[in-house]
Amino acid sequence: MRSIALLTDFGLQDGYVGIMKGAIATISATIPCIDITHDIPPQDLWAGRFCLMNSAPYFPKRTIFLGVVDPGVGSNRRSIAIQFAEGFFVGPDNGLASGLLDIFQAIAAVELNNSKYWRTEQNVSQTFHGRDIFAPVAAHLATGVSLNNMGTNVAIDALTKLKLEPYTRNHNQITGTIQYVDHFGNLITNIPNHCANDLSEVVRLGDRLIPKVTTYSNVLPNHICLLQGSHGWLEISANQNNAQQQLSLTVGTTLTLISQ
Amino acid sequence: MRSIALLTDFGLQDGYVGIMKGAIATISATIPCIDITHDIPPQDLWAGRFCLMNSAPYFPKRTIFLGVVDPGVGSNRRSIAIQFAEGFFVGPDNGLASGLLDIFQAIAAVELNNSKYWRTEQNVSQTFHGRDIFAPVAAHLATGVSLNNMGTNVAIDALTKLKLEPYTRNHNQITGTIQYVDHFGNLITNIPNHCANDLSEVVRLGDRLIPKVTTYSNVLPNHICLLQGSHGWLEISANQNNAQQQLSLTVGTTLTLISQ
Amino acid sequence: MRSIALLTDFGLQDGYVGIMKGAIATISATIPCIDITHDIPPQDLWAGRFCLMNSAPYFPKRTIFLGVVDPGVGSNRRSIAIQFAEGFFVGPDNGLASGLLDIFQAIAAVELNNSKYWRTEQNVSQTFHGRDIFAPVAAHLATGVSLNNMGTNVAIDALTKLKLEPYTRNHNQITGTIQYVDHFGNLITNIPNHCANDLSEVVRLGDRLIPKVTTYSNVLPNHICLLQGSHGWLEISANQNNAQQQLSLTVGTTLTLISQ
């Protein structure tokens, strides 16, 4: 039995996530469900994209990633499932799967228009496709139903993708973008860890000089540092403190690291 | 093995939910546990009633609903288990199960006074029946022990129920009550979805005119709309925004929708 | 298959917990994972120590307690696993396991320096040992691998412990420390429940007289009371209210209860 890994912006307060798991268990009570997170900021596709991309490589092969961050639910945005060499994605075609498309090898995609695999063939909610379409489709995939039963083929190139400006190098400086801020306030850029090798031991960021270190505790408490993050990208962090609050930077901010 | 679906106001911070699951796993480590929510506002029986009623229909038949919102723990309120045609409820007899009693078919109920099925026969905590009584009883039900072993029969009519004023129709208007506000700020009334058919395309709510739509994105971002909710009741929502904050309405508020 | 019980300060927002469970499922998809809590205040070893100690006795024998509150990750603090008569601990050697060492019977401990049982033998993150070392080691223990395969033996006495001043009695008074404040604002002392027998029915705390009761509802709503907590220690609580906010006391505060 394949596992289902869930990521939504539903929060845990209202029971929506429990309802999706109930819909899964109704199809098969033995499918393992693992929560990635349900605290994506409401309708924040960028945060959803990042968390999904960042988590997926650590799950077993053939895991089904059930992602629901869905500001366009009920509109004409497509419902899709994607088969990768490494697993599956089920959710809206709105860019949420962009990160998976970047790091995994896509094999096929379908629009979910075969209502046989939905919770009910009639009376599908216009506002809760997670319960009525995505969870049941994910459960059927987990039990081994083939992707091409779920709907009509869609070209991989035709899937919606979010666009992130790539990082650039220029002589002694590297410019990138903050693509995520985590729970601890660590600022995660889109500059790969290996770029750290090209930077000096202390770099300039705006009017600050910050040391390049291997772990938080290499600087004094509250001090800002640059390190190779566990996600694979350079992070700006504060030892035992919140770098976002200290620096007042946020997702989407462009920043330039200058070797000294 | 039957599943246990859990709903409490314990929050996830202190480990109380984990302790209940530990108590369940001690009886049988293979019982599937599914969280509905643990973020019911402390001691808010109305929110607990709603979330339980709203979630339960999407779970497999014979699921055991373990509900603990329990301001009277340790007082003389009864501990109960109810058997429905569709599943079971285990928890306090304080109205938390009211919604299940409305939508499910009750078959039998018992007061949980057979300490053989508790965690320990002595030294039961006066403040944490979730751990010492409800979780173990739910686990024994999940493994197939019969309800009537758990305690003394209680008449269904004698169970505590919360009372919600029914909605009313009057010529061109429908009056109902907000019975729940979800995480997104959607205001969920107690007016069934089918009543939408009797309302005009735009309805008056106080001094506002709001359109009746089929999904959020039928109105501009931030605009208020009336739609048929995924819960089965009419909802007042704001596209990509928080209707509760915009309208300053809350649970228990009576509202009247007037056709134009 | 042994269960894994998880406690961290990762929060549920970023997907770090999901990643650890993915790493566990990659080793064996059938290991039951139970969350104790992931909302330990960031880097608060005292809260982590308490929640772990308080929860562990309610889990099945041989459960693996995977605890990650780890301000020193990447420094020279040791990674350890401890085998108790009652189960296992896997995590940093920084005092997080102090409470387990107090209540369980330690049999052996190892430093986790055999990279064969890590997620990868190379490129271990300096900031996320939860994913790369602790989760895989816990999963291998769950599948039955022996502790002594995981690394080099460490003397139990050499493990790091947090020190809590013991409570004292003096004639008609008992002095203790608040060791935890829960989600409801209940103040949990380090004075064992049995001491309640030696106190008068009303005790003085500062300039207040508070009744000793058996459950919250023995006092009027909002009133402060002293009761025998479900954790095994005397608690100061407010019926249907938040005692911490009313009394402005917090973790580490010393308090004296005086019989009248």
Side-chain angles (χ1 to χ4, degrees):
Chain A
M1 187 73 73
R2 297 158 180 171
S3 298
I4 296 177
L6 298 94
L7 176 145
T8 75
D9 64 350
F10 292 166
L12 294 174
Q13 189 179 322
D14 300 315
Y16 295 128
V17 174
I19 289 171
M20 289 209 304
K21 291 180 184 170
I24 290 168
T26 299
I27 289 164
S28 168
T30 60
I31 299 170
C33 286
I34 304 177
D35 297 307
I36 299 176
T37 181
H38 300 288
D39 289 335
I40 298 296
Q43 309 176 332
D44 184 340
L45 290 169
W46 279 100
R49 162 203 163 273
F50 180 81
C51 283
L52 203 47
M53 172 179 66
N54 180 45
S55 307
Y58 303 102
F59 280 80
K61 296 280 179 205
R62 295 200 299 278
T63 294
I64 291 120
F65 296 94
L66 170 51
V68 193
V69 179
D70 199 5
V73 61
S75 72
N76 60 0
R77 71 102 186 87
R78 286 188 291 214
S79 298
I80 53 166
I82 310 173
Q83 182 165 2
F84 298 97
E86 299 86 351
F88 297 85
F89 170 82
V90 177
D93 181 24
N94 61 7
L96 181 61
S98 297
L100 294 184
L101 287 163
D102 284 343
I103 62 165
F104 280 174
Q105 181 192 343
I107 293 172
V110 297
E111 179 170 0
L112 300 173
N113 49 21
N114 183 355
S115 60
K116 179 181 163 191
Y117 294 100
W118 300 358
R119 193 178 64 81
T120 58
E121 301 206 31
Q122 280 106 36
N123 295 322
V124 168
S125 165
Q126 291 294 305
T127 55
F128 196 1
H129 285 185
R131 177 190 72 195
D132 289 348
I133 300 178
F134 301 136
V137 163
H140 286 296
L141 285 173
T143 63
V145 176
S146 172
L147 183 84
N148 56 30
N149 290 332
M150 302 297 182
T152 314
N153 191 60
V154 175
I156 304 293
D157 289 349
L159 297 172
T160 303
K161 287 194 70 174
L162 302 176
K163 282 170 189 37
L164 178 69
E165 199 68 34
Y167 74 99
T168 57
R169 293 151 176 269
N170 182 355
H171 188 49
N172 67 334
Q173 66 185 53
I174 302 180
T175 297
T177 303
I178 297 173
Q179 61 172 328
Y180 189 66
V181 181
D182 76 12
H183 160 71
F184 295 108
N186 298 317
L187 303 162
I188 296 153
T189 72
N190 69 336
I191 306 170
N193 276 340
H194 64 75
C195 292
N197 300 329
D198 305 331
L199 289 168
S200 55
E201 291 308 301
V202 171
V203 300
R204 178 173 292 280
L205 169 67
D207 54 6
R208 280 172 186 263
L209 289 173
I210 60 179
K212 185 178 75 175
V213 300
T214 57
T215 192
Y216 307 122
S217 53
N218 290 153
V219 292
L220 292 172
N222 308 318
H223 281 230
I224 299 287
C225 59
L226 175 74
L227 49 70
Q228 302 190 28
S230 63
H231 309 86
W233 289 279
L234 295 181
E235 283 182 32
I236 296 163
S237 302
N239 184 21
Q240 299 179 38
N241 206 314
N242 186 307
Q244 181 181 36
Q245 289 174 6
Q246 283 197 35
L247 298 177
S248 301
L249 301 177
T250 190
V251 172
T253 306
T254 298
L255 49 77
T256 298
L257 303 171
I258 307 175
S259 287
Q260 299 303 300
Chain B
M1 187 73 74
R2 297 159 180 169
S3 298
I4 296 177
L6 299 94
L7 176 145
T8 75
D9 65 349
F10 292 166
L12 294 174
Q13 189 178 323
D14 300 315
Y16 295 128
V17 174
I19 288 171
M20 289 210 304
K21 291 180 185 170
I24 290 168
T26 299
I27 290 164
S28 168
T30 60
I31 299 170
C33 287
I34 303 178
D35 297 308
I36 299 176
T37 181
H38 300 289
D39 289 336
I40 298 295
Q43 309 176 332
D44 184 340
L45 290 170
W46 279 100
R49 162 204 163 273
F50 180 82
C51 283
L52 204 47
M53 172 178 67
N54 180 45
S55 307
Y58 303 102
F59 280 79
K61 296 280 178 205
R62 295 200 300 277
T63 294
I64 291 120
F65 296 95
L66 170 51
V68 193
V69 179
D70 199 5
V73 62
S75 72
N76 59 1
R77 71 101 187 89
R78 287 188 291 215
S79 299
I80 54 166
I82 310 173
Q83 182 166 3
F84 297 97
E86 299 86 351
F88 297 84
F89 170 81
V90 177
D93 181 24
N94 61 7
L96 181 60
S98 297
L100 294 184
L101 287 163
D102 284 343
I103 62 164
F104 280 174
Q105 181 192 341
I107 293 172
V110 297
E111 179 170 0
L112 300 173
N113 49 21
N114 183 355
S115 60
K116 180 181 163 191
Y117 295 99
W118 300 358
R119 192 178 63 81
T120 58
E121 301 205 31
Q122 279 106 36
N123 295 322
V124 168
S125 165
Q126 291 293 305
T127 55
F128 196 0
H129 285 185
R131 177 191 72 195
D132 289 349
I133 300 178
F134 301 137
V137 163
H140 286 297
L141 285 172
T143 63
V145 176
S146 172
L147 183 83
N148 56 31
N149 290 332
M150 302 298 181
T152 314
N153 191 60
V154 174
I156 304 293
D157 289 349
L159 297 172
T160 303
K161 287 195 69 174
L162 302 176
K163 283 174 188 34
L164 178 69
E165 199 68 34
Y167 75 99
T168 58
R169 293 152 177 269
N170 182 355
H171 187 51
N172 67 334
Q173 65 185 53
I174 302 179
T175 298
T177 303
I178 297 172
Q179 61 172 327
Y180 188 66
V181 180
D182 76 12
H183 160 70
F184 295 108
N186 298 317
L187 303 161
I188 296 153
T189 72
N190 69 336
I191 306 170
N193 276 340
H194 64 76
C195 291
N197 299 329
D198 304 331
L199 289 168
S200 56
E201 292 308 301
V202 171
V203 299
R204 178 172 292 280
L205 169 66
D207 54 5
R208 280 172 186 262
L209 289 173
I210 60 179
K212 185 178 76 175
V213 300
T214 57
T215 192
Y216 307 122
S217 53
N218 290 153
V219 293
L220 292 171
N222 308 318
H223 281 230
I224 299 287
C225 59
L226 175 73
L227 49 70
Q228 301 190 28
S230 63
H231 310 85
W233 289 278
L234 294 181
E235 283 181 33
I236 296 163
S237 301
N239 184 21
Q240 299 179 38
N241 206 313
N242 187 307
Q244 181 182 36
Q245 289 174 7
Q246 283 197 35
L247 298 177
S248 301
L249 301 177
T250 190
V251 172
T253 306
T254 299
L255 50 77
T256 298
L257 303 171
I258 307 175
S259 287
Q260 298 303 300
Chain C
M1 187 74 74
R2 297 159 180 170
S3 298
I4 296 177
L6 299 94
L7 176 145
T8 75
D9 64 350
F10 292 166
L12 294 174
Q13 189 179 322
D14 300 315
Y16 295 128
V17 174
I19 288 171
M20 289 210 304
K21 291 180 184 170
I24 290 168
T26 299
I27 289 165
S28 168
T30 60
I31 299 169
C33 286
I34 304 177
D35 296 308
I36 299 175
T37 181
H38 300 288
D39 289 335
I40 298 296
Q43 309 176 331
D44 184 340
L45 290 170
W46 279 100
R49 162 203 163 273
F50 180 82
C51 284
L52 204 47
M53 172 178 66
N54 180 45
S55 307
Y58 303 102
F59 280 79
K61 296 279 178 206
R62 295 200 300 277
T63 294
I64 292 119
F65 296 95
L66 170 51
V68 193
V69 179
D70 199 5
V73 62
S75 72
N76 59 0
R77 70 102 186 89
R78 286 188 291 214
S79 298
I80 54 166
I82 310 172
Q83 182 166 2
F84 298 97
E86 299 86 351
F88 297 85
F89 170 81
V90 177
D93 181 24
N94 60 8
L96 181 60
S98 297
L100 294 184
L101 287 164
D102 284 343
I103 62 164
F104 280 175
Q105 181 192 342
I107 293 171
V110 297
E111 179 170 359
L112 300 173
N113 49 21
N114 183 354
S115 60
K116 179 180 163 192
Y117 295 100
W118 300 358
R119 193 178 64 81
T120 58
E121 301 205 32
Q122 279 106 36
N123 294 322
V124 168
S125 165
Q126 291 293 304
T127 55
F128 196 1
H129 285 185
R131 177 190 72 195
D132 289 348
I133 300 179
F134 301 137
V137 163
H140 286 295
L141 285 173
T143 62
V145 175
S146 172
L147 183 84
N148 56 31
N149 290 332
M150 302 298 181
T152 314
N153 191 60
V154 174
I156 304 293
D157 289 350
L159 297 172
T160 303
K161 287 194 69 174
L162 303 176
K163 282 172 189 35
L164 178 69
E165 199 68 34
Y167 74 99
T168 57
R169 292 151 177 268
N170 182 355
H171 188 50
N172 67 334
Q173 65 185 53
I174 302 179
T175 298
T177 303
I178 297 173
Q179 61 172 327
Y180 188 66
V181 180
D182 76 12
H183 161 70
F184 295 108
N186 298 316
L187 303 161
I188 296 153
T189 72
N190 69 336
I191 306 170
N193 276 340
H194 64 76
C195 292
N197 300 328
D198 304 331
L199 289 167
S200 55
E201 291 308 301
V202 171
V203 299
R204 178 172 292 281
L205 169 66
D207 54 5
R208 280 172 185 263
L209 289 173
I210 60 179
K212 185 178 76 176
V213 300
T214 57
T215 192
Y216 307 122
S217 53
N218 290 153
V219 293
L220 292 172
N222 308 319
H223 281 230
I224 299 287
C225 59
L226 175 73
L227 49 70
Q228 301 190 27
S230 63
H231 309 86
W233 289 279
L234 295 181
E235 283 181 34
I236 296 163
S237 302
N239 184 21
Q240 299 179 38
N241 206 313
N242 186 307
Q244 181 182 37
Q245 289 174 7
Q246 283 197 36
L247 298 178
S248 300
L249 301 177
T250 190
V251 172
T253 306
T254 298
L255 50 77
T256 298
L257 303 171
I258 307 176
S259 287
Q260 298 303 299

